[in-house]
Amino acid sequence: MQVTRKQLATFLATIFVVNLIVMGGGAWLSYANSPDIPDTIVGPDGETVATSEDVQDGKAVFQENGLMNQGSILGRGSYYDTDYTADTLDSKAEYMRDYYAQERHDENYSALNASVQAGIDQQVRQELQDSEYGSQVQYSAAEVYAHQQVREDYVERYHEGDRERGIPAGQIESAEEAEEFADFALWTAWISHTDRPDSSASFTNDWPYSPAAGNDAGGPIMIWSVIAMVLLVGGAGAAIWLYQSIDLPEPEAEGASIPHPSEIELTPSQLLSTRFVLIGALLFVAQTFLGGLLAHYYIERDGFFGMRELIGVDILQWLPWSIVRTWHVDLGILWIATMWLGAGLFLAPLLTGREPPKQALYVKGLVGALLVVAVGGLAGIWLGINNFFDGQLWWLLGNEGLEYVEIGRIWQVGLLVGFLGWTALVARGFKPLLDREPRYGLAHMIVYAGGSIGLLFMAGFLYTPKTNIVVTEFWRWWVVHMWVEGVFEFFILVVIALTLVSMNLLSKKSAEKAVIFQAALVMGSGIIGVSHHYWWAGLPEVWLPIGSVFSTIEFIPLLFILYEALGQYRAMDTAGKDFPYRMAFYFIVASSVWNFFGAGVIGFFINLPIISYYETGTYLTVAHAHGAMFGAFGLLAMGMSVYILRVTTRAESWTTRRLRWSFWLCNLGLALMIFLSLLPVGFLQLEVGFTQGYAASRSLEFYNGELIQTLFWLRMPGDTMLIAGAVLFAWDVVAKLLFQRKATAGESSSHVIADRIFGDSDPSDVVDPVSDDD
């Protein structure tokens, strides 16, 4: 089948636009159908229990105090504490049973015989399931009692502190604010058991699973799980047929002339891009140490290896879980993004042989801005959670309190400006290619990828602390998921392709073809695939079928990315023993393998509706996150950094010993962490969720079980290896920067790679199905 790259590019652009139209329509539906907060909640005699202002203030308390990184709401957030929706729903049902036991039998519920308990259980379920949606919610006397008891529990737990749970005293500053947080959590529980208007399902499609409250997975969840699996098989078959029909060959290395790093002339901005590598490596080390502390908190929730008793250091009070976890998550994004920024700036002059005027000065400015945002944002998180800011400053300068987008809004603006500035600098650097190649060439693709990162990041500006949590979650996942499953994957494809071209392992034409085709698959599944985060978060029911299908299809493009990576590895292997970029390439291939397994295999499993309903927010999600985020994106960032170091380090000072150790420590450490600890704990949680209810799978009793504690200890070998791998990597970066080459190219120099790229330029746009690697 004869296809042009222009046709493939048009196909890609069409998919991107259609996806945005669908998601735009989804935004309209989500706004129109989100559950409003009732004006008042009243008891049987008309007394006010809570108001909409109480619930809205409780959401602000939830965010300001970093509680989304302590536990989760509607299944979203951290896994350490309870899920506040499930916890308050089960507690509400439990206290209602206690109320009826005392009122009718003057006994504790536990003292009643089974038949009497069954009658009370049925009444509680019926009351909760008969709850009606409206501007005024009518509570029964039992519900009023339960609401007050949950408030008291949350004051004791989150204001007074609960060291057994790992919650320091003063997590929430005042008792009144703790009560408002309880009101907010109870409202999310209310929408989970109250049917939507004109529907037999609640706003959360009857999530979480709670036998006491009558919530259970309905028939549509099973039906769409089966449909999703059937469509996965059909979609995979169609994609494979299309892939083969346009004949995308494996990279060909026969006769390749691999330029030695010493032959490549360096520009001042390229040398400055190594500063991004250094900053990223140091942030990587900090993130792994914080990850080790987080892992230990599951075993010793109120300390760290007895330091409080030994030397009087109360680490829980100074570094509570919510702060450490927030830093850990944000540092993961920061160090990976920092290295990616450096790679984009480095590749531009490498492939064009041109240094734009004052490019080095602008790169210095970007490095400085990155440091200001990183330090300011991380410091703001600590200050915000510790209530140093008054008024609106807590979310403008401090901690916005939403997972993955925690830093204050002002720092987020700084990040957006940084993304846009980086895109502009990359475009300046690639201008010779941008001028000569069509709009769907590789240089254009990396500019599009960079611009898309900034475009989707802007969705994080479409809400404030006063915005309904359901609508907030809709836009937050535009940033989180569409980055990871959309533009990040797109960026990976382009950067790997550009790197292979610069290594002469892949022709520019073949790279363009592969990037366009695979990016179309990624965009076609990943953007709409964000909807699998929506269908139990209070958003319209339409997201259930859409999310089920597209989140499953996300697995397909990862098959081709892995296939391409293995093909590229074989091509590299045929390049001979003197291939100078072998170490960098090992990291890049490993990232594709982990992308397939962490994002693809585990992601496919947990995204099936029938699994997702029970497992969300469990250790299966932790395994998916670590395999996808570090395995796919982190190892790629390290690989690109090694490539940069190989080109910029003096030949006589180059050694791979530390890098080899770092590579194997990171990969083996990640594998041990996932297979010895994260997945076993996750599957045990899934079993408890199936048999006892979601709240039980997230309870302190589950985490403190003997087997689970043993599995937590088994995480230590993998964590230790990862930390050692990060330290070795940073050590190697510092050591190599001490022996950096000097800049040898000016603003208009040319070198071997640029000559080959331009020398191979061909205006022909037709892809020949037999031989298109020309």
Side-chain angles (χ1 to χ4, degrees):
M1 179 170 63
Q2 194 175 54
V3 180
T4 66
R5 285 185 294 282
K6 183 176 181 180
Q7 290 170 333
L8 284 176
T10 302
F11 179 55
L12 171 61
T14 302
I15 285 177
F16 186 73
V17 171
V18 169
N19 272 263
L20 290 182
I21 291 173
V22 171
M23 295 307 296
W28 178 81
L29 282 173
S30 298
Y31 272 94
N33 294 279
S34 62
D36 293 328
I37 301 171
D39 294 334
T40 55
I41 300 172
V42 299
D45 57 359
E47 79 277 14
T48 299
V49 178
T51 67
S52 61
E53 289 78 13
D54 294 329
V55 175
Q56 289 172 333
D57 289 344
K59 176 177 179 282
V61 171
F62 164 73
Q63 290 182 223
E64 180 178 4
N65 292 280
L67 290 166
M68 196 173 197
N69 273 306
Q70 179 78 29
S72 57
I73 200 83
L74 294 168
R76 300 302 177 206
S78 177
Y79 323 104
Y80 182 68
D81 198 1
T82 61
D83 178 83
Y84 309 119
T85 303
D87 176 60
T88 51
L89 178 62
D90 265 35
S91 294
K92 183 177 179 179
E94 179 183 343
Y95 283 125
M96 289 176 69
R97 290 196 300 258
D98 290 343
Y99 176 86
Y100 285 123
Q102 288 291 338
E103 182 194 47
R104 297 176 181 177
H105 306 285
D106 199 28
E107 289 277 4
N108 292 327
Y109 175 82
S110 59
L112 301 175
N113 63 52
S115 62
V116 176
Q117 286 182 342
I120 292 176
D121 292 348
Q122 176 59 30
Q123 174 154 358
V124 169
R125 281 195 299 271
Q126 195 64 47
E127 271 189 34
L128 293 176
Q129 293 298 308
D130 288 345
S131 179
E132 294 184 359
Y133 178 72
S135 60
Q136 184 178 83
V137 172
Q138 183 77 44
Y139 266 0
S140 67
E143 286 180 290
V144 173
Y145 171 78
H147 194 110
Q148 295 296 342
Q149 292 303 118
V150 171
R151 276 178 169 173
E152 291 179 15
D153 287 347
Y154 273 45
V155 169
E156 291 177 5
R157 187 185 304 175
Y158 297 105
H159 171 59
E160 297 173 8
D162 187 340
R163 298 190 70 91
E164 183 183 3
R165 291 179 176 272
I167 302 171
Q171 173 90 42
I172 295 179
E173 195 170 24
S174 69
E176 181 184 0
E177 289 178 326
E179 289 184 351
E180 290 170 341
F181 170 49
D183 292 337
F184 169 62
L186 282 161
W187 173 74
T188 66
W190 178 76
I191 66 173
S192 76
H193 68 71
T194 301
D195 288 348
R196 303 172 187 268
D198 304 318
S199 174
S200 60
S202 76
F203 285 93
T204 62
N205 289 295
D206 296 325
W207 184 92
Y209 174 46
S210 173
N215 277 11
D216 199 353
I221 291 175
M222 178 62 75
I223 292 169
W224 281 106
S225 295
V226 174
I227 291 173
M229 294 182 70
V230 172
L231 288 177
L232 173 66
V233 176
I240 291 171
W241 170 81
L242 182 61
Y243 187 89
Q244 294 298 325
S245 68
I246 64 172
D247 188 25
L248 292 176
E250 293 183 18
E252 180 60 59
E254 184 178 355
S257 174
I258 309 296
H260 192 274
S262 60
E263 301 174 34
I264 299 172
E265 295 185 351
L266 294 175
T267 67
S269 69
Q270 285 181 302
L271 293 179
L272 282 171
S273 68
T274 60
R275 302 301 183 265
F276 289 90
V277 175
L278 176 62
I279 295 170
L282 296 177
L283 294 176
F284 178 29
V285 171
Q287 192 217 6
T288 58
F289 273 104
L290 290 173
L293 175 58
L294 290 174
H296 187 74
Y297 267 146
Y298 277 99
I299 297 167
E300 188 183 0
R301 287 187 171 238
D302 65 343
F304 185 71
F305 291 102
M307 286 178 59
R308 184 179 176 216
E309 291 75 15
L310 290 173
I311 57 176
V313 175
D314 189 357
I315 193 169
L316 178 64
Q317 202 67 40
W318 285 98
L319 287 175
W321 172 279
S322 57
I323 290 178
V324 177
R325 206 259 182 175
T326 303
W327 281 347
H328 178 71
V329 169
D330 286 357
L331 283 172
I333 297 171
L334 273 174
W335 78 259
I336 292 171
T338 298
M339 290 183 179
W340 282 7
L341 295 179
L345 295 169
F346 182 85
L347 285 171
L350 186 71
L351 294 175
T352 64
R354 176 181 177 273
E355 175 86 338
K358 298 185 178 181
Q359 184 81 341
L361 177 63
Y362 297 145
V363 171
K364 283 183 182 178
L366 188 59
V367 172
L370 173 66
L371 288 172
V372 170
V373 171
V375 173
L378 294 174
I381 287 169
W382 192 89
L383 294 171
I385 291 178
N386 283 285
N387 305 116
F388 277 82
F389 295 116
D390 295 324
Q392 300 298 307
L393 290 178
W394 69 263
W395 68 278
L396 292 174
L397 286 174
N399 169 55
E400 193 165 355
L402 297 169
E403 188 185 30
Y404 297 112
V405 284
E406 290 94 346
I407 62 174
R409 185 63 57 87
I410 298 299
W411 308 115
Q412 290 183 30
V413 172
L415 278 180
L416 177 61
V417 172
F419 285 136
L420 297 177
W422 174 82
T423 303
L425 291 179
V426 169
R428 291 182 87 235
F430 275 108
K431 192 171 188 305
L433 280 178
L434 294 173
D435 291 341
R436 299 187 61 169
E437 70 178 14
R439 290 189 302 273
Y440 39 82
L442 284 179
H444 283 79
M445 289 293 177
I446 196 169
V447 174
Y448 299 155
S452 297
I453 291 173
L455 174 66
L456 292 179
F457 188 66
M458 292 177 68
F461 295 88
L462 299 178
Y463 51 77
T464 72
K466 294 187 178 295
T467 305
N468 188 308
I469 186 64
V470 170
V471 176
T472 298
E473 280 296 278
F474 177 86
W475 290 118
R476 186 178 73 88
W477 282 106
W478 270 58
V479 178
V480 177
H481 185 100
M482 290 192 197
W483 264 12
V484 173
E485 302 293 346
V487 296
F488 275 16
E489 297 283 2
F490 184 24
F491 187 88
I492 280 180
L493 292 169
V494 179
V495 169
I496 290 178
L498 283 167
T499 305
L500 295 175
V501 169
S502 70
M503 292 178 180
N504 204 26
L505 289 179
L506 191 63
S507 78
K508 185 166 174 284
K509 291 185 177 182
S510 291
E512 288 172 355
K513 237 185 348 170
V515 166
I516 293 172
F517 179 79
Q518 293 179 19
L521 289 177
V522 168
M523 293 291 182
S525 60
I527 293 182
I528 299 182
V530 69
S531 55
H532 76 261
H533 294 286
Y534 290 159
W535 58 268
W536 64 73
L539 290 161
E541 295 167 284
V542 68
W543 292 119
L544 172 57
I546 294 175
S548 304
V549 172
F550 281 91
S551 64
T552 307
I553 295 175
E554 287 172 10
F555 180 71
I556 295 172
L558 301 182
L559 287 170
F560 296 109
I561 292 174
L562 177 64
Y563 175 78
E564 284 294 316
L566 295 178
Q568 291 152 5
Y569 178 80
R570 287 192 292 271
M572 184 265 310
D573 207 41
T574 64
K577 295 182 179 179
D578 294 331
F579 181 66
Y581 310 106
R582 188 176 298 270
M583 199 67 244
F585 205 79
Y586 284 158
F587 280 98
I588 293 173
V589 172
S591 77
S592 295
V593 173
W594 279 110
N595 199 6
F596 169 75
F597 179 77
V601 175
I602 303 179
F604 161 71
F605 175 72
I606 68 173
N607 286 341
L608 280 174
I610 193 61
I611 301 298
S612 187
Y613 178 85
Y614 295 97
E615 80 74 36
T616 180
T618 68
Y619 257 60
L620 290 175
T621 305
V622 181
H624 167 61
H626 282 79
M629 191 66 184
F630 174 70
F633 303 138
L635 286 172
L636 173 66
M638 295 171 74
M640 294 305 305
S641 297
V642 172
Y643 180 51
I644 292 172
L645 293 172
R646 184 66 183 95
V647 175
T648 58
T649 303
R650 299 175 200 165
E652 66 274 12
S653 302
W654 177 259
T655 175
T656 62
R657 183 166 55 89
R658 284 185 297 265
L659 289 173
R660 285 198 305 271
W661 275 99
S662 176
F663 174 82
W664 287 113
L665 284 169
C666 286
N667 280 279
L668 291 176
L670 180 60
L672 288 176
M673 178 200 300
I674 290 176
F675 290 107
L676 287 184
S677 182
L678 302 187
L679 285 178
V681 172
F683 282 118
L684 289 171
Q685 274 187 292
L686 184 61
E687 180 186 15
V688 171
F690 273 133
T691 57
Q692 300 177 37
Y694 181 73
S697 72
R698 290 282 302 275
S699 66
L700 186 64
E701 291 74 21
F702 172 82
Y703 286 132
N704 283 344
E706 184 177 349
L707 176 58
I708 300 303
Q709 286 291 301
T710 300
L711 291 171
F712 284 154
W713 276 112
L714 285 176
R715 182 171 169 176
M716 181 173 284
D719 281 2
T720 303
M721 293 174 74
L722 256 176
I723 292 170
V727 171
L728 272 176
F729 184 80
W731 178 14
D732 193 73
V733 169
V734 173
K736 285 181 168 52
L737 290 182
L738 293 176
F739 298 96
Q740 194 172 65
R741 296 167 57 200
K742 302 297 183 182
T744 55
E747 293 185 353
S748 60
S749 299
S750 181
H751 51 66
V752 289
I753 294 180
D755 290 342
R756 185 165 58 246
I757 294 292
F758 288 118
D760 192 45
S761 295
D762 188 340
S764 173
D765 186 41
V766 176
V767 175
D768 184 87
V770 178
S771 176
D772 71 355
D773 201 29
D774 52 353

